Amino acid sequence: MIPDKVVARIAARAAKEALATHTDTSGAHAKLAGPRASATVGSGTARLGLTLDLPYPADLAGVSRRVQDYVSERVAHLTGMRVTEVTLAIEHLIPADGLEHRRVQ
């Protein structure tokens, strides 16, 4: 059996890949903190939890779904486990370059 900690590291790496592939992080990419993950493994299955930053503006629901799907598929492929759940916690929304200098008038 693969330890929880190892599966969590794989999930965090997969989330980082998903964000790089499925989001326009050109302006905010350097400011995004690396995703953090937790995993609970048992009986050939894994439950995953991810905490991450997302670029803003973005389709949060769409990006979240793509990240969840990608992480689930990637972890299942690399570990041979069935991923039963991937929960996301969005910690910060990071504005693209220039947005932090705008003011409402």
Side-chain angles (χ1 to χ4, degrees):
M1 181 153 89
I2 303 171
D4 293 0
K5 190 174 184 176
V6 173
V7 175
R9 283 189 181 182
I10 293 169
R13 176 63 66 115
K16 186 174 182 177
E17 292 170 5
L19 288 172
T21 304
H22 299 296
T23 62
D24 176 21
T25 57
S26 54
H29 185 68
K31 300 174 194 169
L32 294 177
R36 293 184 313 280
S38 62
T40 304
V41 175
S43 302
T45 64
R47 291 177 41 209
L48 308 172
L50 298 170
T51 302
L52 44 86
D53 294 349
L54 290 180
Y56 179 82
D59 171 15
L60 298 179
V63 170
S64 296
R65 232 181 342 272
R66 286 190 295 275
V67 168
Q68 286 172 308
D69 290 345
Y70 184 87
V71 170
S72 178
E73 291 170 13
R74 192 79 174 127
V75 169
H77 176 75
L78 292 172
T79 64
M81 295 180 180
R82 186 170 60 88
V83 177
T84 59
E85 179 180 28
V86 179
T87 58
L88 290 185
I90 300 169
E91 192 158 16
H92 298 105
L93 296 175
I94 308 298
D97 283 348
L99 288 179
E100 61 269 20
H101 298 297
R102 290 187 184 171
R103 284 184 27 186
V104 175
Q105 296 187 18

